Amino acid sequence: MATTGYPGNLNAKTREFISSPRKILLNGHWVDAASGKTFDTLDPATGKVIISVAEGDREDIDRAVKAARAAFEDSPWSRMQPGQREKVMHRLADLMEENADVLAELESIDNGKNVAIARAVDIQLAIDTIRYMAGWPTKIMGSILPLSVPYAPDAKFFGYTLKEPVGVVGQIIPWNFPALMAAWKLGPALATGCTVILKPAEETPLSALYLGELICQAGIPDGVVNIVPGYGHTAGAALSAHPDVDKIAFTGSGEVGKIIVKAAADTMKKVSMELGGKSPAIILPDADLDIAIPGAASAIFFNQGQTCCAGSRLFVPDSLYDQVVDGLAAATATMKIGVGLNPENMINPLVSQIQFDRVMGYIDSGRREGAEVVAGGGRSGNEGYFVEPTLLCNTNREMKVVREEIFGPVLCVQRYSDVSDIASFANDTVYGLGASIWTRDVGNIINIIPKIKAGTVWVNCHNILDVVMPFGGYKQSGFGRELGKESLDLYLETKSVCIMA
Ligand code: NAP
Ligand code: MG
C-alpha cells in the first residue's frame, strides 16, 4: 500500500491522492498514456515507491499540443474579458490556499523537503504568484504611437500597439521547487491568455498533478492547461521540437537548456531559460557576523543546496576567516537531519539516488583537490539520500567544486585579502544568477553592486524572492525574467497597427 509508513496525521486528501496511480491532464480529462506505460515516483527519504504515474511520451505531447492549440484558437480563454480571466485566476489561488497543506505534504513526500518550509515558502509563494498574476489581465495594454511618416506628410495616420498572447506554450520544470516552478510558469501564461503544456520533472510530478485538479475545479476551460508527466529525453524533447508550439519556457540544467534551445531553433520558437548558478556570497570586512554567518549558512543549506541561486561560493576576508568558519561549523552541527515530514528536520534528503551520487562525487573531488572538509562530508543514515551539510574550506578558483554547480548542501569557502578584487572574484564563473553582499557600509553597496554580473543582488540576505521582483540570469544562467511585470513580456507578442484616416 503506497501510504504505508506515513504518519497518521497526514491530510486525508494527501492520502487519497497517493492511493491510486496518477494520470495525464489532457483537455480537461485525466487519461492514461497512449502507450499505457507508467513510471514510479519515489520518496527520497526512503527510496520507496509512493505511487505510479502515467508516462507521457511523443504521442501524448502531440495530443496535448492539439488540445492546447484548439483551446487557444477556439476556447474563450484568450478572448475572455480580462476581468473574467482575473476572477478565474483568483479562484485558482483561493483553491491553492484551501489546499495548501495538501500541496505542502505532497511536495515533502515527493521531493523530500521540510513540510513546514514547503508550506511557508514554496506553496505560499506559488499562491502569491497566481494572485499577483491574476491582477495583470486588466492592466496589459499597448500604446498610442505619434506617427509622422516622412514620405506621406499630408496623410493622417493613427498608430497603436496591441499586446497579444504568444499562443501555445510548452513549459518544462525541474524537481527542486516543483509547485513553485509550476506557478512561476503558469501564472504569466494564464494572465496573458496563452495555453499550456506543462511537463513536470520525472522525480516530482505529484504537486503539479494536484495543481491540475485545482485548475479544473477553478473553471479554467478544458485544454488551456495540459499536464504531461514523463521523461525529459522523450516527452520533454517532443515538446521542445513540436512544430505547433510557439514558445518554450525552461528551468533546469544548462546542459538540457542548450539541447532545448537547439531543438526550438528549427521552428524558431521563442525561448526563455532559467538555468543554474554558482552564486557568490561575499562577506565584507565590516559585516555584522551575527547576521552574516547564519545568513551564509541558510544561503547554501536551504532546500539542501538544491536551489539555483544558492550561495555556493562564500568569500571571507582573511581578518574574519577563522571566526566565520568556526561559526559556520557550529551552525551545521545544530542542523537536524531527517525526513521532511518532521518540521524539526532542517536538512532533508536530496531528491534522488542520482543527485546523491553526484553530490558525494563532488565532495570526493574537493577532497582530492585539497579542500579541507571542516564539517560534514558524508552520508547521513543508511536509507534515503541524506547528505550532511558540508563545508569545504581553503578552496580556490581552480577546483572543480568551485567551478561547477554541485546542487547539494556543500559550501566552498574562499579567502581574500583585498576588497578591490572582490567583484572580479565573484564574477569568476560562467554563471550569473544571484549574489549577496554582507556589509554595513552603504559605500560598499553602491560601489560593488554595479560590478556584479548577476540577475539578483541581495544585501545582508540571500535567496529572498518576491513576486514583484524579476528573477533570472546573466551569462550562462539563462535569459528572460520570471516574476514581476517583466515576466509578461515572455508570453506576449506586440502587434503594431497603422490606420490611415
Ligand atoms: P534537468 O535534466 O535539466 O531537468 C530539468 C527538466 O528538463 C526536467 O523536467 C527534465 O525531465 C527535463 N529534460 C531533461 N532532458 C530533456 C530534454 N532532452 N529535452 C527536454 N526536457 C528535458 O535537471 P536534472 O537532471 O534533474 O538535474 C541535473 C542538474 O541540473 C542539477 O544537479 C543542477 O545542477 C541542475 N538543476 C538546476 C535547476 C535550476 O533551478 N536552475 C533545477 C534542477 C536542476 P526529467 O528530469 O523529468 O526527465
Ligand atoms: Mg519523487
Side-chain angles (χ1 to χ4, degrees):
M1 172 66 190
T3 52
T4 303
Y6 292 122
N9 60 357
L10 207 62
N11 198 296
K13 285 187 187 170
T14 311
R15 252 176 220 289
E16 196 199 326
F17 194 73
I18 58 173
S19 67
S20 58
R22 304 318 317 175
K23 301 190 178 188
I24 294 169
L25 178 58
L26 180 75
N27 207 17
H29 303 284
W30 293 99
V31 300
D32 291 320
S35 67
K37 282 198 210 163
T38 62
F39 65 97
D40 291 331
T41 189
L42 308 181
D43 181 338
T46 59
K48 290 182 183 150
V49 177
I50 307 170
I51 197 68
S52 70
V53 177
E55 185 192 321
D57 198 345
R58 180 170 302 277
E59 195 174 336
D60 307 285
I61 289 291
D62 197 45
R63 289 177 184 179
V65 172
K66 284 197 174 81
R69 174 58 61 194
F72 184 72
E73 306 297 343
D74 305 330
S75 97
W77 189 247
S78 54
R79 288 185 302 276
M80 188 182 275
Q81 283 196 340
Q84 195 57 30
R85 210 156 62 225
E86 169 176 338
K87 266 191 203 155
V88 178
M89 289 184 70
H90 274 300
R91 211 176 299 145
L92 174 60
D94 290 344
L95 283 165
M96 290 167 72
E97 194 112 51
E98 278 167 35
N99 289 277
D101 292 342
V102 180
L103 285 165
E105 286 177 353
L106 289 172
E107 211 69 320
S108 178
I109 293 168
D110 212 8
N111 166 283
K113 63 176 69 193
N114 180 301
V115 67
I117 296 177
R119 171 67 188 87
V121 180
D122 303 52
I123 304 304
Q124 194 55 52
L125 281 176
I127 297 165
D128 290 356
T129 302
I130 300 297
R131 257 197 225 304
Y132 168 82
M133 291 299 168
W136 272 112
T138 52
K139 295 160 196 81
I140 295 170
M141 58 187 93
S143 44
I144 306 285
L145 307 173
L147 302 182
S148 37
V149 183
Y151 47 86
D154 299 329
K156 286 209 169 93
F157 294 99
F158 178 58
Y160 61 96
T161 56
L162 288 171
K163 293 286 181 183
E164 297 183 339
V166 155
V168 173
V169 177
Q171 304 185 318
I172 302 176
I173 56 172
W175 42 258
N176 53 345
F177 294 92
L180 184 59
M181 291 302 103
W184 281 21
K185 295 279 181 285
L186 291 172
L190 292 175
T192 49
C194 292
T195 60
V196 174
I197 303 96
L198 176 76
K199 195 207 81 65
E202 159 256 325
E203 293 87 347
T204 55
L206 295 182
S207 57
L209 293 172
Y210 195 81
L211 202 55
E213 302 260 4
L214 304 182
I215 283 167
C216 296
Q217 285 173 37
I220 291 176
D222 292 352
V224 170
V225 177
N226 304 275
I227 306 181
V228 184
Y231 293 102
H233 63 278
T234 54
L239 186 56
S240 15
H242 200 290
D244 205 26
V245 170
D246 299 302
K247 177 202 157 58
I248 292 281
F250 173 73
T251 298
S253 62
E255 297 77 42
V256 172
K258 285 173 198 168
I259 294 171
I260 291 176
V261 170
K262 285 176 193 153
D266 279 341
T267 49
M268 210 49 88
K269 291 179 181 61
K270 287 157 186 43
V271 182
S272 52
M273 292 274 143
E274 202 269 271
L275 307 172
K278 195 73 188 176
S279 299
I282 304 163
I283 295 186
L284 291 174
D286 71 301
D288 177 349
L289 292 190
D290 288 343
I291 298 171
I293 291 171
S298 149
I300 181 68
F301 298 125
F302 171 65
N303 211 40
Q304 294 65 249
Q306 302 170 128
T307 307
C308 45
C309 50
S312 50
R313 292 181 297 141
L314 179 66
F315 292 94
V316 187
D318 285 326
S319 57
L320 301 177
Y321 191 83
D322 291 342
Q323 202 183 340
V324 169
V325 169
D326 289 350
L328 287 169
T332 62
T334 65
M335 291 173 186
K336 278 194 173 179
I337 306 178
V339 298
L341 281 178
N342 178 349
E344 288 183 6
N345 293 327
M346 296 312 284
I347 297 286
N348 314 121
L350 299 188
V351 75
S352 65
Q353 181 75 50
I354 290 175
Q355 284 304 116
F356 176 86
D357 292 340
R358 233 179 97 100
V359 171
M360 293 306 285
Y362 273 112
I363 295 173
D364 284 346
S365 144
R367 275 201 182 94
R368 281 197 306 276
E369 288 187 303
E372 186 191 348
V373 183
V374 170
R379 176 179 200 160
S380 173
N382 46 26
E383 79 164 358
Y385 315 126
F386 296 90
V387 174
E388 294 173 323
T390 298
L391 291 180
L392 299 182
C393 292
N394 286 320
T395 56
N396 63 59
R397 65 182 301 278
E398 310 298 336
M399 294 178 178
K400 190 172 143 126
V401 285
V402 171
R403 306 212 70 76
E404 296 180 13
E405 183 177 42
I406 298 176
F407 228 61
V410 182
L411 180 61
C412 295
V413 188
Q414 288 176 264
R415 44 165 96 229
Y416 70 90
S417 43
D418 188 346
V419 175
S420 63
D421 293 329
I422 202 63
S424 65
F425 290 163
N427 291 335
D428 187 14
T429 166
V430 296
Y431 296 111
L433 195 56
S436 61
I437 303 169
W438 303 78
T439 181
R440 286 179 275 205
D441 181 341
V442 72
N444 282 333
I445 298 170
I446 290 166
N447 285 329
I448 295 173
I449 289 178
K451 295 179 187 148
I452 302 278
K453 293 191 166 67
T456 301
V457 181
W458 292 284
V459 178
N460 294 328
C461 59
H462 198 112
N463 287 340
I464 299 293
L465 301 173
D466 189 283
V467 289
V468 303
M469 201 161 75
F471 184 81
Y474 282 38
K475 302 198 279 184
Q476 291 190 29
S477 289
F479 42 87
R481 291 292 178 272
E482 301 195 279
L483 300 183
K485 185 172 186 291
E486 290 185 36
S487 62
L488 301 167
D489 297 341
L490 304 178
Y491 294 91
L492 289 169
E493 290 279 18
T494 301
K495 179 178 282 171
S496 289
V497 183
C498 174
I499 303 172
M500 191 161 82

